Amino acid sequence: MSADAPKVDSVVAAVRADLLRRSELGIAKYGVTLDRTDLNLRDWLQHAYEETLDQANYLKRAIIELDHKNG
């Protein structure tokens, strides 16, 4: 790779691919994009909050599994 060639971060590339897949899945499932205008800021925040709660549950479940394997 030459000094002038752009560097590619494989992790960022993987995240970009995941974001695109999630967008495509959401459009297929719900028929709308995040450009939708039927939700207000409170609604968007509520969705993000609920997703964060789900994430906390997934993380806790994984931690419990690791603790049981290592305990």
Side-chain angles (χ1 to χ4, degrees), residues 24-53:
E24 292 167 346
L25 183 125
I27 292 167
K29 184 173 182 178
Y30 300 107
V32 295
T33 69
L34 293 178
D35 294 316
R36 62 193 287 185
T37 59
D38 59 319
L39 300 176
N40 62 35
L41 179 58
R42 175 70 169 70
D43 295 330
W44 287 111
L45 291 170
Q46 185 66 40
H47 281 291
Y49 174 70
E50 290 170 5
E51 292 290 341
T52 301
L53 291 175

Side-chain angles (χ1 to χ4, degrees), residues 1-13:
M1 182 184 308
S2 74
D4 295 331
K7 293 185 170 80
V8 175
D9 185 321
S10 63
V11 174
V12 173

Side-chain angles (χ1 to χ4, degrees), residues 51-69:
E51 292 290 341
T52 301
L53 291 175
D54 290 342
Q55 181 183 24
N57 285 324
Y58 304 148
L59 290 168
K60 186 60 176 180
R61 194 255 181 233
I63 289 167
I64 290 168
E65 180 177 336
L66 288 173
D67 287 349
H68 286 152
K69 285 182 179 178

